Amino acid sequence: MLDCAIIGGGPAGLSAALVLGRARRSVALFDEGKPRNRVALASHGFLTRDGASPAAMRKFAHDELAAYPSVRIRGSRVEDVAREADGSFRLTDAAGESWLASRLLLATGLKELLPEIEGLGDFYGRSLFCCAYCDGWELRDRPLVLVAGNDHTFHLAKTVYNWSRDLLVCTNGYKSLEPEEERVLRARGIRIDHREIERLVGADGQLTAVRFADGEEAACAGGFVAERLRQAAPFAERLGCALTQYGGIETDAAGRTSVPGVYAAGDAACIMPAQLIVAAAEGSRAAIGINEDMTHEAFA
Ligand SMILES: Cc1cc2nc3c(=O)[nH]c(=O)nc-3n(C[C@H](O)[C@H](O)[C@H](O)COP(=O)(O)OP(=O)(O)OC[C@H]3O[C@@H](n4cnc5c(N)ncnc54)[C@H](O)[C@@H]3O)c2cc1C
């Protein structure tokens, strides 16, 4: 019986594993290795690691965790989590192997649904991003395109305006701006185009233009896309954890979900702000919550 099973080896899960390993808890961390930012060449805003690649950050973490013998990292996908009669959790991975754990931490992150536009995948994570706090600095003062894909286009345009005043919002037929919102953006000189996008144009990851269905092109030197998000794993829902109005797993200040024994951390819980350093902090907080709860239980 493990003290804790962690599903997800992004900053939230890895940080929790470190704190629990240091607290001498037996931990298995399962990670299928598809973090949200895997397409990015560099990650920003994590103090002491600004500009490091996602792969390098992960390697730093794995190297540090190797010092803690009670932590095991398994590079496998968890397929199922079932509750046993004694309240423990049985995890089964893709190879059919199973483990029992007294506590479960969901650090499974989010999955993004990007607008289906030809060429978008060539630029996403290189010159087209989803978060101005992550990549706005690199795109500052450039002519940028904002591609609508959710209902927060107005918010994204206002936010990106802090980094560049040369903005073209392409709604691509997506009804994402109210007339009053459009008026406010246009009053700041932000251009708005409702034409259908045929494809994104550029080379070697650098976006240079948006081509509309009528053949016309609008030049740009990068941009942002408003994506839709959903939970990357089904376990919170399957176990009956309450969700927030934004679709995150509801937790208290110690990372406890509404289901006893189940904890959550990182993007899966927080949704916004989705930041590596926030996810890492949440993982640490949930690990302390888990260790405190186990300690109190042992002394009860
Ligand atoms: C393009 C892009 C660029 C970004 N750039 C930055 C940046 O520069 N700075 C910044 O602070 N933030 C950035 N972010 C946001 C950042 O990536 C997230 O906030 C952060 O990764 C969240 O960490 P997490 O641990 O919660 O989830 P993740 O990092 O997404 O990790 C979750 C892990 O759980 C695994 N998993 C899920 N389900 C299962 C399962 N069933 N079994 C096993 N494993 C599973 C996944 O494969 C994944 O490895 C960026 C996001 C994107 C999309």
Side-chain angles (χ1 to χ4, degrees):
M1 173 76 79
L2 296 160
D3 289 323
C4 184
I6 300 174
I7 312 180
L14 290 165
S15 177
L18 178 62
V19 174
L20 287 168
R22 291 179 56 77
R24 312 190 69 179
R25 296 292 179 186
S26 58
V27 174
L29 181 149
F30 300 84
D31 185 37
E32 67 167 335
K34 292 183 184 165
R36 231 186 112 191
N37 63 343
R38 64 188 178 281
V39 294
L41 296 180
S43 43
H44 303 107
F46 197 110
L47 194 65
T48 75
R49 293 284 183 257
D50 192 33
S53 72
M57 298 216 19
R58 186 166 283 236
K59 183 165 183 333
F60 288 136
H62 282 217
D63 289 350
E64 286 178 3
L65 282 169
Y68 300 93
S70 67
V71 176
R72 278 172 292 168
I73 299 181
R74 303 193 69 91
S76 59
R77 176 183 170 79
V78 175
E79 293 292 350
D80 190 44
V81 179
R83 198 98 204 220
E84 299 287 293
D86 64 357
S88 63
F89 300 91
R90 179 175 293 279
L91 284 79
T92 308
D93 76 3
E97 273 192 80
S98 76
W99 290 265
L100 275 178
S102 150
R103 296 289 197 279
L104 175 68
L105 174 61
L106 300 175
T108 39
L110 295 172
K111 191 174 166 53
E112 37 223 359
L113 305 173
L114 296 164
E116 285 181 18
I117 297 173
E118 203 184 327
L120 193 148
D122 298 342
F123 308 108
Y124 190 57
R126 290 166 172 253
S127 56
L128 183 73
F129 303 97
C130 58
C131 162
Y133 295 98
C134 302
D135 299 289
W137 174 258
E138 282 63 38
L139 297 185
R140 66 193 184 282
D141 296 327
R142 293 194 197 175
L144 302 179
V145 64
L146 306 187
V147 180
N150 65 22
D151 297 332
H152 307 296
T153 307
F154 183 51
H155 177 257
L156 180 69
K158 287 189 295 180
T159 306
V160 175
Y161 189 74
N162 289 306
W163 280 271
S164 175
R165 303 280 150 112
D166 190 347
L167 297 183
L168 169 66
V169 176
C170 291
T171 61
N172 191 29
Y174 194 97
K175 171 97 187 65
S176 54
L177 288 172
E178 295 300 327
E180 176 56 15
E181 294 173 341
E182 245 190 87
R183 192 195 62 73
V184 168
L185 296 181
R186 286 189 196 279
R188 296 294 179 114
I190 297 174
R191 290 161 294 133
I192 298 167
D193 201 310
H194 293 295
R195 281 178 291 177
E196 191 187 327
I197 298 175
E198 185 195 293
R199 63 166 297 130
L200 300 184
V201 181
D204 300 328
Q206 178 56 58
L207 178 65
T208 54
V210 177
R211 183 179 303 152
F212 297 102
D214 59 14
E216 217 177 279
E217 288 191 5
C220 63
F224 289 89
V225 56
E227 87 287 45
R228 285 180 294 131
L229 298 168
R230 67 168 169 80
Q231 289 288 328
F235 308 120
E237 219 173 322
R238 281 191 203 161
L239 290 163
C241 299
L243 300 182
T244 68
Q245 59 172 313
Y246 305 108
I249 305 169
E250 200 172 279
T251 63
D252 69 7
R256 299 181 194 95
T257 71
S258 60
V259 175
V262 183
Y263 302 73
D267 279 8
C270 177
I271 304 271
M272 174 70 194
Q275 291 279 283
L276 297 159
I277 205 158
V278 174
E282 285 218 340
S284 169
R285 189 178 74 156
I288 291 171
I290 290 165
N291 193 57
E292 289 287 311
D293 288 351
M294 294 189 79
T295 304
H296 291 308
E297 200 176 277
F299 279 83

